[in-house]
Amino acid sequence: MLEKILVLLCLPSALAQHLCTPGASDGYKVRLSIKTALGDQAYVWNENEMFLFRATLAFAMRTHFNGQMYNVSNIVVCDETPRVSFWFVVTSPLDTSTLVDRKDVEEAVRKSRNRINSAFLLTDKTLEFIGIAPTLAAPVYPDPPPWLIVFGVVMGAVGAGIIILLVTSVLQKKRKKNEKSEGEDDEEDTRVKTVENGTASDGVYNMSFSDDERFTKM
Amino acid sequence: MKLKLPNPGLDNRIPSHEDLERMEKEEAGDRPKWDNKAQYLLTCVGFCVGLGNVWRFPYLCQSHGGGAFMIPFLILLVLEGIPLLHLEFAIGQRLRKGSMGVWRSINPYLTGVGIASLLVSFFVGVYYNTIMAWIMWYLYNSFQDPLPWSQCPLNANRTGVVEECARSSSVDYFWYRETLNTSTAIDEAGGLQWWMVLALLSAWTLLYVCCIRGIETTGKAVYITSTLPYLVLTIFLIRGLTLKGSVEGIKFLFTPDVSTVVTHQPTLVSIINTITQDAVLISIINGCTSVYSATVIYSIIGFRATQKYDDCTADNILKLINAYNYPENSITESNYNEVLIYLNQTTPDIIQGLQLQTCDLQAYLSQGVEGTGLAFIVFTEAIIKMPVSPLWAVLFFVMLFCLGLSTMFGSIEGVVVPLQDLKLLPQTWPKEVFCGLTCVISFTLGLIFTLRSGNYWLALFDNFAGSIPLLVIGFCEMIAVIYVYGIDRFNKDIEFMIGHKPNIFWQVTWRFVSPLIMVIILVFYFVTQVTKSLTYLVWDEEAANFPTLEPRPFPSWIYVIIFILAGVPSLAIPVVALFKFVQRKCCKQKDYSDDTVDTISVKIQMNDKKF
């Protein structure tokens, strides 16, 4: 009686095991690169880690199919290699001899990818599900683009510089003109004064003939 | 050799030694001048040391035999560059005039030389400032983390990256697509790229604000633009030497390989172009800067090459352990080769299927490291692999900007001053207007380079506007000063200015060696260029060798453009001479300035001696 119960208990898992084969149509290959990701702090892959993996995957299936009670036993693993890679298939909780469809498994994994990765301290690149492409994070394009801001700052500074330089040169020229005309005014004043003074005396000395010698040369 | 071409009326056109002394005392305050000797030296150094020192010289040095390349470089520097600039400086000092005035004074028929150098300065300025615009574009884009050229953009359905980027690399994609948006041929103009137009506008306005009052403003600017590059190079040297693989790069640069020291013309022309403006102190500075920057550049290139090699090897190892399910770290760089051989013997078909790449460090070291390729592809790739990338990017592009700006000062002065001397435009216009006019016209012409095919146009300008005409002008200058002005008079002038006659080295180089070398180079260059069909490199996604650039022949109408760029300045010299000759012949009766006063007292000599 007891043996019969034991056989009955072992039968499902034994039956399920044959469903998992490398290259199974409803299965996926998983590859872990622990040493690449963690270096010195890498943990060793053993039975316990495998148990965690199966549990995490069961969690992912439960999250995706709300209500269906997936268990660790529903995740069947085979073909483990020293690389740390293996194949897995997921059996339905209602009927352990049928496999959950590939697409459903993919969706479930995609949904909880982040949680699965963080359970193992890995990333999309180091915990690979061969055939399930990770959805890439949308790049953040700040609006307005940063280069336009820097451009605006530079152009503003340059524009201000040009205006300042042009204005100062115009002002300088005006100042020079004013000085010159002031100087001329002073000269005119003095000249006028000499004329005024000169009316009392002989008159203004006419310079235009002063270069002539008194006696022309032969 | 006492060859001297007839040159009537020379004494009337130039100030005599007594005039020079008088002018020195009287007019010292009026001429625009540098505030001190330091400004003058920095301006000259800034003009001579330019982008070529950073991105042309290291490539030439490495591709033509490393350390052995220094030999022809030094020979030409000493026999060609130094004599030519010493001559230019001395004649400029002696005649107290700018470029146009000097040649007009020596002989009015030679005004063409001044016009030719005006045209060359103009063409060179137009395309050189476009490179500045590119540098500024990259500088503006360096103020963000992560740098935009470090990642490929995602494609439409976000499953992967854009195909063009995946096949080449993120730096290539950013340069060819997001910056240039390059087309596949020079005839496919495409439209104006608005971001490039903005960058070009900022380059020209910045240049204008620095040149607005001539050396008054540029003299202040050169304190920064001429010294900052050295500071940044030193910082990069220190940074570079702490990176893995940098020593490989430096070794690669200086490993002499005498077999490749071939004196083929493009090299020599590039050398001539980089050293045509040098005099003794400045050429030493220029030479040292070239060597120093080559060292820095190649230390960074060594780092990049080592990184790529490591990535390539790691990639291959990963492929192997994935295929054979070996545990991680079972294959390392040390046993990779043995394992590969073993596996190839046992399971060759699997190895074939893996498509492993051959990782060659030497190939990475010699990858496209000249010109824009160096700055915008290779160096930017190296920068993204360094920690705190935006800082290094900003430093690097600020350095390039300063190097280019100081050269542009010289170019602009080379256009504005002769333009004022030509007296084509009213003299009452202030310098600001001349400068502004030059900048506006150059900017308008430079819009060609903001088209989608702009890169190809720039390569065209680079090859033809700055090469042949410069050689021709340099040659004519030498002949003009030595044989038309007269070497004897020139020797006396130098004795007057510095106290002793120039020694035998200068005599020999000025009279024979330098002009001869120039003629030889000109002839060789002409012959090699004319015989081969001209091609240019395009970025074409459909090409077989993508992402390698593909050579394509020029369309036939390009030859007209080439003629305009190279031929018009060179031909300006004989054409203007002919024009002046014709003008003199037909208008001789109106030309009083040459004839002496036509009076009786001159014609009939009052003979005092009789009395």
Side-chain angles (χ1 to χ4, degrees):
Chain A
M1 182 60 177
L2 262 170
E3 293 136 354
K4 274 192 194 158
I5 299 172
L6 269 168
V7 168
L8 271 168
L9 280 171
C10 292
L11 203 57
S13 48
L15 276 172
Q17 196 57 39
H18 79 271
L19 289 166
C20 173
T21 50
S25 55
D26 284 321
Y28 280 100
K29 181 168 180 181
V30 180
R31 195 189 290 146
L32 290 93
S33 311
I34 308 171
K35 293 208 182 102
T36 318
L38 301 169
D40 290 334
Q41 308 192 330
Y43 47 80
V44 179
W45 187 259
N46 52 25
E47 284 296 317
N48 301 336
E49 306 283 349
M50 181 56 87
F51 181 79
L52 179 60
F53 178 81
R54 293 165 69 201
T56 331
L57 220 55
F59 160 78
M61 296 302 293
R62 280 200 192 191
T63 323
H64 182 57
F65 293 106
N66 230 344
Q68 293 189 33
M69 292 289 124
Y70 282 88
N71 224 323
V72 181
S73 48
N74 291 117
I75 315 292
V76 185
V77 169
C78 56
D79 193 33
E80 273 189 71
T81 65
R83 169 70 179 83
V84 192
S85 69
F86 47 83
W87 282 83
F88 76 91
V89 291
V90 183
T91 59
S92 167
L94 307 164
D95 179 11
T96 47
S97 50
T98 51
L99 295 177
V100 178
D101 197 40
R102 165 168 250 259
K103 284 206 177 66
D104 293 328
V105 177
E106 179 174 338
E107 274 176 46
V109 168
R110 268 235 173 94
K111 248 187 169 177
S112 314
R113 190 66 189 264
N114 215 12
R115 299 295 298 274
I116 302 174
N117 285 348
S118 30
F120 290 94
L121 309 171
L122 297 174
T123 65
D124 280 347
K125 268 194 97 177
T126 39
L127 173 58
E128 299 167 80
F129 286 83
I130 314 289
I132 304 179
T135 34
L136 301 161
V140 178
Y141 291 124
D143 203 34
W147 74 265
L148 213 53
I149 300 173
V150 184
F151 169 77
V153 168
V154 168
M155 287 303 280
V158 165
I162 291 179
I163 292 174
I164 292 173
L165 284 172
L166 286 176
V167 164
T168 47
S169 63
V170 166
L171 284 178
Q172 259 179 11
K173 283 206 180 104
K174 270 198 187 148
R175 213 177 298 145
K176 264 194 197 156
K177 250 193 205 165
N178 284 343
E179 279 176 11
K180 253 195 203 163
S181 59
E182 268 174 45
E184 283 171 7
D185 283 343
D186 284 342
E187 280 179 31
E188 274 185 28
D189 281 345
T190 49
R191 248 186 272 147
V192 167
K193 281 189 190 140
T194 49
V195 166
E196 284 175 0
N197 284 342
T199 46
S201 59
D202 299 341
V204 182
Y205 183 59
N206 195 335
M207 303 292 284
S208 47
F209 295 102
S210 57
D211 276 343
D212 276 355
E213 296 290 288
R214 290 194 62 214
F215 299 105
T216 52
K217 279 188 185 152
M218 290 295 264
Chain B
M1 238 197 301
K2 300 282 180 180
L3 175 69
K4 191 177 177 308
L5 299 169
N7 196 355
L10 181 61
D11 284 310
N12 298 338
R13 293 192 293 264
I14 61 174
S16 66
H17 290 182
E18 296 77 29
D19 291 335
L20 283 182
E21 285 189 10
R22 185 178 45 82
M23 282 198 292
E24 192 62 50
K25 290 178 196 140
E26 290 177 5
E27 296 174 8
D30 290 346
R31 280 201 313 276
K33 57 184 188 173
W34 288 279
D35 290 342
N36 50 44
K37 184 94 186 256
Q39 267 189 18
Y40 166 69
L41 270 180
L42 284 177
T43 308
C44 290
V45 166
F47 180 61
C48 305
V49 172
L51 292 172
N53 296 76
V54 164
W55 74 33
R56 199 168 274 182
F57 178 84
Y59 170 72
L60 289 179
C61 189
Q62 177 273 309
S63 65
H64 293 282
F69 173 79
M70 300 299 290
I71 303 172
F73 176 75
L74 284 171
I75 291 176
L76 279 170
L77 183 74
V78 166
L79 293 180
E80 193 67 60
I82 298 181
L84 186 58
L85 188 69
H86 190 206
L87 187 124
E88 286 183 351
F89 274 14
I91 199 72
Q93 282 280 66
R94 167 67 180 88
L95 297 179
R96 293 299 165 101
K97 296 222 174 79
S99 150
M100 194 69 80
V102 162
W103 307 115
R104 201 189 290 146
S105 301
I106 292 182
N107 195 317
Y109 289 136
L110 287 176
T111 322
V113 177
I115 293 179
S117 59
L118 170 93
L119 286 173
V120 169
S121 289
F122 177 69
F123 286 141
V124 169
V126 169
Y127 87 78
Y128 205 84
N129 218 29
T130 310
I131 302 179
M132 297 292 292
W134 290 342
I135 292 172
M136 294 192 82
W137 160 260
Y138 267 81
L139 182 62
Y140 295 151
N141 274 293
S142 303
F143 288 96
Q144 47 186 298
D145 192 20
L147 293 169
W149 56 83
S150 58
Q151 313 157 320
C152 280
L154 299 178
N155 59 14
N157 35 6
R158 286 175 44 184
T159 51
V161 295
V162 173
E163 196 200 318
E164 192 181 356
C165 193
R167 286 175 68 192
S168 53
S169 71
S170 57
V171 278
D172 278 318
Y173 183 78
F174 186 76
W175 170 236
Y176 286 109
R177 189 55 51 212
E178 292 191 28
T179 304
L180 299 174
N181 196 11
T182 184
S183 61
T184 52
I186 198 168
D187 359 18
E188 288 169 38
L192 292 175
Q193 310 301 301
W194 64 271
W195 58 93
M196 278 288 105
V197 175
L198 285 183
L200 191 66
L201 183 71
S202 70
W204 279 108
T205 45
L206 217 140
L207 183 67
Y208 181 59
V209 83
C210 291
C211 291
I212 198 165
R213 291 214 204 123
I215 60 176
E216 222 188 288
T217 39
T218 59
K220 309 274 185 312
V222 290
Y223 279 121
I224 302 176
T225 60
S226 296
T227 50
L228 190 66
Y230 291 98
L231 183 66
V232 174
L233 277 176
T234 312
I235 294 175
F236 264 101
L237 183 69
I238 298 172
R239 171 79 263 216
L241 289 175
T242 58
L243 294 169
K244 179 187 174 196
S246 52
V247 186
E248 291 297 317
I250 299 178
K251 271 196 279 184
F252 183 68
L253 170 70
F254 285 119
T255 311
D257 183 6
V258 189
S259 62
T260 62
V261 179
V262 176
T263 54
H264 78 278
Q265 296 325 296
T267 325
L268 289 176
V269 171
S270 316
I271 298 174
I272 294 285
N273 289 346
T274 50
I275 64 175
T276 315
Q277 303 292 326
D278 294 2
V280 181
L281 174 65
I282 290 167
S283 15
I284 294 173
I285 293 177
N286 196 3
C288 292
T289 309
S290 295
V291 175
Y292 186 53
S293 64
T295 314
V296 173
I297 297 290
Y298 265 86
S299 74
I300 304 291
I301 287 176
F303 160 71
R304 169 189 172 268
T306 313
Q307 283 286 338
K308 288 195 87 139
Y309 178 76
D310 285 347
D311 286 344
C312 176
T313 328
D315 209 37
N316 284 348
I317 291 175
L318 192 68
K319 280 189 187 149
L320 277 181
I321 59 176
N322 282 350
Y324 289 93
N325 289 320
Y326 291 152
E328 288 178 280
N329 294 350
S330 55
I331 307 180
T332 58
E333 282 184 35
S334 39
N335 61 1
Y336 170 74
N337 284 320
E338 302 150 9
V339 172
L340 185 63
I341 294 169
Y342 168 71
L343 289 174
N344 213 0
Q345 284 169 346
T346 47
T347 51
D349 31 311
I350 301 182
I351 297 288
Q352 289 278 42
L354 285 178
Q355 294 176 328
L356 298 170
Q357 292 173 319
T358 35
C359 306
D360 182 9
L361 187 62
Q362 298 296 310
Y364 292 129
L365 281 169
S366 44
Q367 257 175 0
V369 287
E370 181 190 28
T372 51
L374 171 69
F376 302 123
I377 299 179
V378 170
F379 218 82
T380 45
E381 191 169 18
I383 285 174
I384 54 179
K385 296 187 203 286
M386 294 189 221
V388 199
S389 320
L391 171 69
W392 304 113
V394 168
L395 271 179
F396 178 63
F397 289 113
V398 163
M399 173 184 82
L400 287 187
F401 177 72
C402 287
L403 284 171
L405 191 68
S406 49
T407 310
M408 278 307 296
F409 290 159
S411 264
I412 282 289
E413 291 294 307
V415 174
V416 169
V417 173
L419 206 60
Q420 284 180 310
D421 280 347
L422 257 184
K423 302 192 172 79
L424 283 175
L425 302 166
Q427 288 291 88
T428 48
W429 287 2
K431 182 147 196 176
E432 288 89 341
V433 175
F434 276 101
C435 201
L437 203 66
T438 313
C439 289
V440 166
I441 295 178
S442 305
F443 169 72
T444 320
L445 197 61
L447 287 175
I448 295 179
F449 304 119
T450 57
L451 296 171
R452 289 190 61 189
S453 52
N455 191 25
Y456 308 132
W457 283 101
L458 196 125
L460 190 73
F461 268 67
D462 193 24
N463 277 332
F464 295 106
S467 52
I468 297 181
L470 272 180
L471 284 174
V472 170
I473 291 172
F475 176 70
C476 288
E477 285 182 357
M478 276 213 159
I479 297 297
V481 173
I482 299 305
Y483 295 112
V484 177
Y485 183 75
I487 183 73
D488 298 327
R489 188 188 287 263
F490 192 57
N491 283 335
K492 286 209 194 80
D493 290 336
I494 295 187
E495 198 175 341
F496 170 73
M497 287 192 286
I498 63 176
H500 61 87
K501 195 175 149 179
N503 60 28
I504 188 76
F505 167 74
W506 302 111
Q507 302 297 321
V508 170
T509 49
W510 282 335
R511 284 191 221 203
F512 313 117
V513 177
S514 308
L516 193 66
I517 293 179
M518 242 188 257
V519 168
I520 294 174
I521 292 177
L522 245 178
V523 168
F524 265 115
Y525 187 74
F526 224 69
V527 167
T528 51
Q529 286 290 69
V530 165
T531 48
K532 70 178 181 202
S533 82
L534 297 165
T535 60
Y536 66 110
L537 297 168
V538 290
W539 173 264
D540 190 356
E541 254 192 285
E542 271 110 59
N545 283 341
F546 186 83
T548 316
L549 298 171
E550 186 186 295
R552 193 168 289 186
F554 279 120
S556 38
W557 52 269
I558 285 289
Y559 292 96
V560 176
I561 309 281
I562 293 178
F563 175 74
I564 294 176
L565 287 175
V568 164
S570 317
L571 290 177
I573 302 173
V575 163
V576 169
L578 199 65
F579 174 72
K580 290 265 171 183
F581 181 68
V582 166
Q583 200 182 44
R584 185 152 297 188
K585 270 278 152 89
C586 73
C587 309
K588 197 167 189 183
Q589 50 270 38
K590 296 190 200 139
D591 201 354
Y592 288 159
S593 56
D594 258 10
D595 293 334
T596 48
V597 175
D598 213 347
T599 60
I600 297 172
S601 58
V602 166
K603 291 227 167 93
I604 304 171
Q605 279 180 327
M606 302 296 253
N607 207 337
D608 290 346
K609 289 179 191 165
K610 275 191 187 164
F611 300 107

